[in-house]
Each structure stands twice: as structure tokens, then as C-alpha cells.
Amino acid sequence: ESPEAAGEALYAAIYDAAPNLQSMYKTPRAIMGMRYVRAFSGVFANLHDPRALKASIEALSFAHLGREVTAPRVAIFRDAVVDTIIAEVGAQCTSTGAETLRVVMNYIGGAFLYVRTNYGGRLKILSCSW
């Protein structure tokens, strides 16, 4: 379908999978859906280039420092995204494709957690001291 429809499907899946996170969503649904599509498109476009992939995921990670990213929330988000993509792609999605998607989503989530753990406190100190 369209990027807008993909964004809407991703937003709905994530929003419905994590009711406790719904209060964090302040951005309109259509805009947030397109942000998901843009972020995932950037990551998937860079899968062939490890340096570019790392840079794009680091940028996403730092952009989410203000969010309470935890391992359980990463798992909820990952499962919602993977399940939605598998449902949308249907029979064209092989078990290898589904597992690869899970691995990529785990990599993204792990990067978010790493950046939050290793840089979040430092950046908070810098912002308070300036």
C-alpha cells in the first residue's frame, strides 16, 4: 500500500500493544506513523553498510534519550512491529525474513538501551551544569 498506511498500521500496533505507553504519545497519529516509516526506512536502507547503519541507529537512540526506554518496552515494541510487518507481508515473509526482522529490531532496541545507560546520565549532568 502506501507509506501512510504502513505508518498507520505500525502506530496502531504499537499503541495497542502497550497501553501503559499511550500517555507518552503527544504527536498526532499520522505524523507519528510517518516518523516510524521514515526511521525504519533509514535503518533498512543502511543494512548493507555497517557504518551508516550504526550512525542511523545512534541518531535514533540519542533522539530517544528523553524517553523511558526499558528492555520490556523494547520487547513490546519489537513484537508489535514484527507481528505487524509479518501480517502485512503475509505468505511472502519467510521464517528467515521474520527472524532477520527480529534481529534488526533487537539491535535497534539494544542500541537504545546502551545509549541510555552509557550516555544518558552524562548528558543530564551536562545539561544541568550549563
Side-chain angles (χ1 to χ4, degrees):
E1 294 186 30
S2 68
E4 292 81 10
E8 174 64 30
L10 287 171
Y11 182 95
I14 294 163
Y15 193 84
D16 293 343
N20 60 332
L21 301 181
Q22 292 176 1
S23 64
M24 295 173 64
Y25 285 93
K26 307 291 185 220
T27 304
R29 190 177 192 113
I31 294 171
M32 198 67 221
M34 287 308 299
R35 285 183 184 171
Y36 288 141
V37 169
R38 192 175 333 114
F40 289 130
S41 294
V43 168
F44 294 134
N46 289 320
L47 286 176
H48 69 284
D49 182 353
R51 284 187 178 170
L53 178 64
K54 182 181 178 197
S56 67
I57 292 177
E58 282 178 345
L60 285 172
S61 299
F62 279 102
H64 285 82
L65 269 176
R67 303 283 184 214
E68 188 65 33
V69 179
T70 63
R73 288 179 175 173
V74 167
I76 291 168
F77 189 90
R78 177 206 58 221
D79 292 344
V81 169
V82 170
D83 292 346
T84 301
I85 292 173
I86 290 170
E88 292 295 321
V89 174
Q92 294 175 338
C93 186
T94 64
S95 60
T96 302
E99 185 57 29
T100 301
L101 187 54
R102 278 188 186 78
V103 168
V104 170
M105 293 302 297
N106 281 336
Y107 179 71
I108 295 168
F112 279 35
L113 293 169
Y114 179 85
V115 166
R116 180 174 177 74
T117 300
N118 290 288
Y119 300 109
R122 295 176 194 175
L123 292 174
K124 193 176 287 187
I125 290 169
L126 284 173
S127 69
C128 291
S129 65
W130 287 79

